[in-house]
Amino acid sequence: MIRNVAAVVGEQAAAFELGVACQVFGLDRAGDDLPVYDFAVCAPSPGAVRSTSGFSLQVDHGLERLAAADLITIPAWPQLDQAGPPQLLEALRTAVARGSKVLSVCTGAFLLAEAGLLDGRRAATHWQFTDLLAARYPKVRVDREVLYVEDGPILTSAGAAAGIDACLHVVRREHGAATANALARRMVVPAHRSGGQAQFIEMPVPEVRTNYELSGLIDWMQAHLDHPMTAESLAARAAMSTRTFARRFKAVTGTTAHRWLLDQRLQLAEELLETTDLPVDAVATRAGFGSADTLRHHFGARRGVGPAAHRRTFRSDGHQGG
């Protein structure tokens, strides 16, 4: 269980990305019945640290703070033209070896790659830097499109807002969908964007009619997840050919209709398992999977555990359901 979180900055701090870590892990939201973490910002050289936005912040903790952290966040690393501090690279390797998880945002992946922690692993970074990351660290399996990717104890994410998605993913893993959704509402951000969603979408301004139709269709899909849906039926509802619908849906959402539906149905199944006593077969029907076996298959493939195990982990009131 993650209880202790440290954010690491270097000679400069990326203001927005550091703010993301502070928002998710560094605020006391006990009054909202949300998790509270022992959070601190640390640096190889504590003291005044200049931000990339022109102001300075006071960092009180050195790298010894990493020894207690269950999760270490690297909220971007602006010093790409400099070697990482050797003592920081060693501290990161030591932390992972003892079982700590690490989360990077944007160019924070470069520091992890320099430490050798991404060798042989899939990794994400901001789309502007994917080619540089791949060229500089050929042992890293750079995924150029995704918002975030988790490979073992390392979670890397793309630029800025993708860091919010990655942090909420950690909260969802640790505390369940209901808690992550409540935190997202508190932060006024989308509750869940799949890590596999494209981070960069070339989308010219659409015709008003097309944009309206897809917005209305997506709202309808969200409200009718228990209904059977095929590419053909969705295209017909949108008054498009199947090929045109597939192209426009991906242009608007960054993913395919099939994957979007699967993500939404899994999220609904999580919420139902955590907040109701519905038997697993009823959850499967309500979430649009049709049968408990189908739900178990997709839930296990995506979450790593079955629906019943997820319920046992995240139900807080002692009720287990069927």
Side-chain angles (χ1 to χ4, degrees), residues 129-307:
F129 299 102
T130 52
D131 288 345
L132 179 61
L133 182 63
R136 189 177 291 183
Y137 303 103
K139 292 182 180 180
V140 180
R141 296 160 52 203
V142 179
D143 195 325
R144 289 171 165 79
E145 296 186 353
V146 298
L147 292 176
Y148 58 88
V149 59
E150 187 173 23
D151 193 331
I154 312 294
L155 196 157
T156 52
S157 60
I164 301 175
D165 298 307
C167 289
L168 288 175
H169 173 78
V170 170
V171 174
R172 186 175 295 106
R173 284 282 198 191
E174 291 290 310
H175 305 285
T179 296
N181 293 346
L183 177 57
R185 284 193 297 272
R186 184 69 174 79
M187 294 173 60
V188 197
V189 297
H192 178 64
R193 291 197 298 170
S194 167
Q197 183 172 324
Q199 61 167 291
F200 179 66
I201 307 168
E202 288 280 12
M203 186 174 64
V205 177
E207 297 177 7
V208 174
R209 179 173 178 270
T210 300
N211 187 45
Y212 171 80
E213 285 179 342
L214 283 183
S215 297
L217 176 65
I218 289 171
D219 289 344
W220 181 89
M221 292 166 69
Q222 181 73 64
H224 298 84
L225 293 174
D226 57 333
H227 284 42
M229 300 183 206
T230 64
E232 292 75 17
S233 67
L234 292 172
R237 181 173 285 273
M240 300 175 186
S241 70
T242 303
R243 181 174 296 181
T244 298
F245 167 73
R247 184 175 65 252
R248 291 185 180 174
F249 191 94
K250 189 166 186 178
V252 169
T253 67
T255 189
T256 65
H258 173 77
R259 178 147 191 172
W260 186 92
L261 273 172
L262 181 58
D263 287 337
Q264 296 298 314
R265 285 169 168 164
L266 284 170
Q267 184 178 343
L268 177 57
E270 282 185 335
E271 294 174 2
L272 293 172
L273 290 165
E274 294 170 18
T275 61
T276 76
D277 293 311
L278 290 173
V280 172
D281 55 354
V283 170
T285 299
R286 181 86 66 88
F289 287 100
S291 72
D293 285 343
T294 302
L295 172 61
R296 291 187 186 99
H297 169 76
H298 288 292
F299 208 95
R302 187 67 63 88
R303 306 298 190 239
V305 297

Side-chain angles (χ1 to χ4, degrees), residues 65-129:
R65 181 61 176 74
L66 300 185
D70 305 308
L71 172 68
I72 298 169
T73 67
I74 314 294
W77 194 254
Q79 301 87 33
L80 294 185
D81 57 344
Q82 303 174 25
Q87 68 272 33
L88 173 54
L89 300 178
E90 183 58 31
L92 290 172
R93 288 190 287 263
T94 300
V96 171
R98 66 168 172 78
S100 178
K101 297 183 182 299
V102 180
L103 184 159
S104 71
V105 182
C106 193
T107 52
F110 282 78
L111 187 68
L112 300 182
E114 187 177 356
L117 294 173
L118 297 183
D119 288 357
R121 299 186 191 275
R122 289 178 63 215
T125 190
H126 191 288
W127 60 268
Q128 287 184 311
F129 299 102

